[in-house]
Amino acid sequence: MSIDNDDHKGDGMERRQLEFFLAIAEAGSFTRAAQVLHIAQPSLSHSMRTLEAELGSPLFERHGRGVRLTASGEALLGPARRTVRSFGLAASAVRAVTDGDVGRLRVVSSTSWAVHPLVELIGEFRRLRPRVRFEVTDPAARTVVLDQVRTGQVDFGLVDGTPPAGALASLELAEQQLLAVLPQGSGKGLTTTVEELQRHGLIGTPRGTALRDLLDQHLEAAGHATEVMVETAHVASVVPLVLSGAGAAVLPEGMAVDAATKGARVARLEPETRAAVSLVWRATGPEGVAADFLELVREHRADRSS
């Protein structure tokens, strides 16, 4: 069956139909999806009508100027993502034989963990498999990481804390201490308190993000409510804001050490707080190059533990 022919009916779902379905679901609009896919909207609409006829159920319903998934569409979302990914894995397996060692890995991680420990792992794997391509994305919240791994949108995710069991498997990679990052000239002590941080004014990311969750947890443990004076959705701006004198921040040690090289004062927090970082993947197990990456991560962890 050709994947380029939308006229077949009753032959089962085609890869392109599923790719179109996922594009519409993500865009929330047939018009925007057609633009992203670079196809005519009538062709896209025809393909979806054919798919809905094969399934015997509508997948989208009109919602304002766009569309949203019906219950049937929600049920198809996960299997469609996994099926499209399976086509990609099959193609990667063939290219690995013909081209030698190619593949693609998709990892979702907040900025907090994307530097340490993820950078070292990617670098080590790329030295062994230089033709493997990585895509690292930054989610809005920890729950987004878990959802994307659970639904098969990505191969791996990095989260703090203990991931939920069931559909996910996990491996703790590292434990990072949280450190205070303060403006230059704010003192010379090796330790600091919540009261000092609050005198400078706290800089944080929005609620639900990894950095904000860590800040809230530390303040709660110290018996303080969170009062953020500068809230920014741009993680990359936190350290520059500290250096500008706008306030102080609480960061994982990997980010804090980098801030120190730029001139910020870095101090230990009292009480001390640590955050465990775990790699998560679907409990059904990774395949192909993803399985090779997981094996490297396990070996890396064993070497660090010995």
Side-chain angles (χ1 to χ4, degrees), residues 113-190:
W113 319 125
V115 176
H116 176 74
L118 184 57
V119 164
E120 186 176 359
L121 295 172
I122 292 178
E124 188 174 343
F125 193 74
R126 288 268 298 126
R127 285 192 293 273
L128 296 172
R129 305 282 292 275
R131 292 179 62 80
V132 172
R133 181 179 301 171
F134 276 83
E135 294 178 8
V136 182
T137 54
D138 186 358
R142 182 180 189 271
T143 55
V144 176
V145 176
L146 298 174
D147 286 343
Q148 289 188 3
V149 176
R150 189 180 294 112
T151 57
Q153 296 178 62
V154 296
D155 300 290
F156 298 102
L158 270 74
V159 295
D160 56 282
T162 303
L168 299 176
S170 66
L171 177 69
E172 185 176 313
L173 297 181
E175 187 179 65
Q176 289 201 44
Q177 185 176 4
L178 299 184
L179 298 172
V181 179
L182 303 99
Q184 293 173 313
S186 61
K188 297 182 180 180
L190 297 178

Side-chain angles (χ1 to χ4, degrees), residues 130-257:
R131 292 179 62 80
V132 172
R133 181 179 301 171
F134 276 83
E135 294 178 8
V136 182
T137 54
D138 186 358
R142 182 180 189 271
T143 55
V144 176
V145 176
L146 298 174
D147 286 343
Q148 289 188 3
V149 176
R150 189 180 294 112
T151 57
Q153 296 178 62
V154 296
D155 300 290
F156 298 102
L158 270 74
V159 295
D160 56 282
T162 303
L168 299 176
S170 66
L171 177 69
E172 185 176 313
L173 297 181
E175 187 179 65
Q176 289 201 44
Q177 185 176 4
L178 299 184
L179 298 172
V181 179
L182 303 99
Q184 293 173 313
S186 61
K188 297 182 180 180
L190 297 178
T191 62
T192 190
T193 62
V194 171
E195 287 77 14
E196 183 181 2
L197 293 177
Q198 290 177 329
R199 283 197 297 272
H200 286 283
L202 286 167
I203 299 171
T205 50
R207 291 189 184 278
T209 59
L211 278 180
R212 182 59 175 272
D213 287 346
L214 293 173
L215 175 62
D216 290 345
Q217 289 164 16
H218 173 76
L219 292 175
E220 182 180 349
H224 293 264
T226 305
E227 185 179 4
V228 170
M229 303 306 294
V230 180
E231 183 175 284
T232 175
H234 302 284
V235 177
S237 70
V238 172
V239 172
L241 280 166
V242 172
L243 294 173
S244 76
V250 174
L251 299 174
E253 58 188 285
M255 297 179 68
V257 168

Side-chain angles (χ1 to χ4, degrees), residues 1-6 8 14-17 19 87:
M1 178 177 63
S2 169
I3 65 171
D4 295 323
N5 188 349
D6 287 326
H8 290 294
E14 300 175 353
R15 175 187 178 179
R16 193 167 70 163
Q17 286 177 318
E19 290 174 337
F87 274 106

Side-chain angles (χ1 to χ4, degrees), residues 7-8 26-27 53 79 96 99 102 143 150 153 172 193 195 205 210 214 242 252 254 268 281-282 284-285 289 298 304:
D7 296 329
H8 290 294
E26 182 175 345
D99 298 339
V102 300
T143 55
R150 189 180 294 112
Q153 296 178 62
E172 185 176 313
T193 62
E195 287 77 14
T205 50
L214 293 173
V242 172
R268 293 193 302 274
W281 63 92
R282 285 175 55 82
T284 51
V289 69
R298 285 178 168 145
R304 287 300 178 91

